[in-house]
Amino acid sequence: MAADGAVAVGSWVSSLCTRCRAATRHVVVSVAFGRPAKVQCSTCEGVHNYRDPAAAKQGRSSKGPREAAPRTPEEEWLARMKGRDPRQAIPYGHPGLPQAGDLVEHPSLGYGLVLQ
């Protein structure tokens, strides 16, 4: 950064990376009004608009409400299984078709939910 607080093209800044979904070190690609405009992530090499990591910590966003990070399959399964009683599971292969929302117990795969 310059002495007056302005940044220069080629300097390093911390920015929220859209691919890494974290504050990482970036190279300034373009500057507008003394602030970084476009940056390139040193981790994934993605180029995107500069996003101030301090603003994200305070919950501020220039583009409206922030979307929640997608859940992993394990987190999704745990959320759907929360509050379910395994004693009410239908054994896999039970006569008749299970309905959406039914809890099923498979002999080798364990518990699961019928989604459709």
Side-chain angles (χ1 to χ4, degrees), residues 74-94:
E74 292 83 10
E75 291 170 333
E76 182 68 29
W77 185 84
L78 287 172
R80 290 179 185 259
M81 293 296 290
K82 189 173 184 174
R84 303 301 297 256
D85 185 3
R87 293 175 292 183
Q88 295 180 356
I90 300 168
Y92 181 80
H94 186 268

Side-chain angles (χ1 to χ4, degrees), residues 4 6 10 12 23 30-31 33-34 41 47 49-51 55-57 59 68 80 85 90 97 100 108 114:
D4 61 354
W12 293 95
S30 67
V31 175
F33 306 105
C41 180
V47 177
N49 292 334
Y50 171 74
R51 288 175 177 75
K57 286 181 183 176
R80 290 179 185 259
D85 185 3
I90 300 168
L97 293 175
S108 61
V114 179

Side-chain angles (χ1 to χ4, degrees), residues 14-78:
S14 180
S15 177
L16 289 176
C17 181
T18 55
R19 284 188 190 167
C20 299
R21 297 189 184 273
T24 59
R25 190 174 177 189
H26 288 69
V27 176
V28 177
V29 176
S30 67
V31 175
F33 306 105
R35 294 182 38 110
K38 293 263 186 198
V39 292
Q40 182 175 15
C41 180
S42 62
T43 303
C44 70
E45 299 182 359
V47 177
H48 55 83
N49 292 334
Y50 171 74
R51 288 175 177 75
D52 186 5
K57 286 181 183 176
Q58 296 173 356
R60 291 182 283 140
S61 176
S62 61
K63 299 205 178 209
R66 186 173 178 177
E67 293 180 24
R71 293 186 196 180
T72 64
E74 292 83 10
E75 291 170 333
E76 182 68 29
W77 185 84
L78 287 172

